[in-house]
Amino acid sequence: MTDKLLRSPLALAGAMLVSALLGAGAFALLLSWMPGLAGPAIRGYLLEHPEILPEAMERLQARESARYEKAQQGAQAVVPQHLAQLQKPYAGAWAGNPNGDVTVVAFMDYACGYCRASLPGIEELLAKDPNVRVVYRELPVLGPESMVAARLALAAAEQGKFRAFHDALYAAGSPNAENIAAAAEKAGLDKALATKASQSKPVEQEIAANHKLGEQLAMTGTPSWVVGGKLLYGARDYAGLAAAVAEARAGK
């Protein structure tokens, strides 16, 4: 196997790239499996044939892109099965027209810069389209502070103050303890009630359900969206959201 790999420049480069992506530990494991891949031999070959690296990287990227696209297509196919759950907000975690003809579901994380960048587009959509509803789903994926913020946001939703807390925390910056406390104060939360609610089983179940939905819908990060019944990934401005809403209306 080792001799075959050494005779195949593309395979060798692919092994090197995969090892680089996985880290030193994976590379050490690779060498233990194929001891003939000595460091000097690899280095010498790559120095003589550096042109194979871009080609190998392009193939790796193409393969990963195809895999991701296939996952997204599969996820889109299962959206109808979860649409009712997706469009049902947790307590007061929604905005706009409660009877709107199109629902925009936004999966967000308070530590996500792309989520923050999407907020003006959501606000403009709500201001310009009186027949749209936005449902916010907490998807904390960027660390423990994101989880604390998500839990308190749902507690705020139970007090009817989700938007006040949501807007205040995004405006404050990163979801550290100081900013979370300041947002809770600005939103006028009952602190004792919110603290208790943030650790409650319903809040825990809601976040677990959102993570499960994220996995089923191939969400690799935030923000992610379901507009009408269509999946979207990544930051969106007003034009992008309005176009998705128009498409959803046209499909009714």
Side-chain angles (χ1 to χ4, degrees), residues 14-39:
M16 285 290 292
L17 286 169
V18 170
S19 297
L21 290 171
L22 294 179
F27 185 53
L29 182 59
L30 182 66
L31 290 178
S32 72
W33 288 341
M34 295 172 284
L37 288 178

Side-chain angles (χ1 to χ4, degrees), residues 176-197:
N176 56 40
E178 181 180 355
N179 288 341
I180 291 172
E185 181 73 26
K186 187 173 182 179
L189 298 187
D190 180 320
K191 294 182 182 179
L193 189 61
T195 299
K196 183 178 180 180

Side-chain angles (χ1 to χ4, degrees), residues 68 72 104-122 134-142 166 170 214 217-227 230-237 241:
Y68 184 48
Q72 289 181 331
V104 174
V105 183
F107 284 79
M108 309 186 92
D109 183 313
Y110 287 100
C112 170
Y114 294 107
C115 296
R116 184 177 290 105
S118 299
L119 296 179
I122 296 175
V134 175
V135 170
Y136 299 91
R137 307 215 76 90
E138 300 297 327
L139 189 64
V141 294
L142 296 175
H166 171 91
Y170 270 121
L217 301 181
M219 295 178 181
T220 59
T222 52
S224 294
W225 318 77
V226 178
V227 183
K230 184 176 180 179
L231 273 167
L232 299 171
Y233 304 95
R236 286 292 187 278
D237 59 9
L241 291 173

Side-chain angles (χ1 to χ4, degrees), residues 53-171:
L53 291 173
E55 181 183 354
M57 181 59 79
E58 287 176 6
R59 291 198 183 187
L60 179 62
Q61 290 175 338
R63 185 182 303 165
E64 289 304 308
S65 294
R67 183 181 302 170
Y68 184 48
E69 184 177 348
K70 184 177 181 180
Q72 289 181 331
Q73 291 173 349
Q76 179 62 58
V78 302
V79 167
Q81 302 172 27
H82 303 287
L83 196 57
Q85 180 184 2
L86 286 161
Q87 294 183 345
K88 182 179 180 179
Y90 183 89
W94 63 276
N97 185 341
N99 300 311
D101 66 337
V102 174
T103 296
V104 174
V105 183
F107 284 79
M108 309 186 92
D109 183 313
Y110 287 100
C112 170
Y114 294 107
C115 296
R116 184 177 290 105
S118 299
L119 296 179
I122 296 175
E123 291 304 312
E124 188 172 354
L125 180 69
L126 288 169
K128 291 183 175 179
D129 191 332
N131 206 26
V132 72
R133 181 179 67 145
V134 175
V135 170
Y136 299 91
R137 307 215 76 90
E138 300 297 327
L139 189 64
V141 294
L142 296 175
E145 291 179 329
S146 293
M147 179 63 77
V148 172
R151 285 178 173 275
L152 201 58
L154 294 175
E158 292 184 9
Q159 295 185 30
K161 297 179 179 180
F162 175 84
R163 283 294 304 283
F165 176 82
H166 171 91
D167 293 346
L169 184 51
Y170 270 121

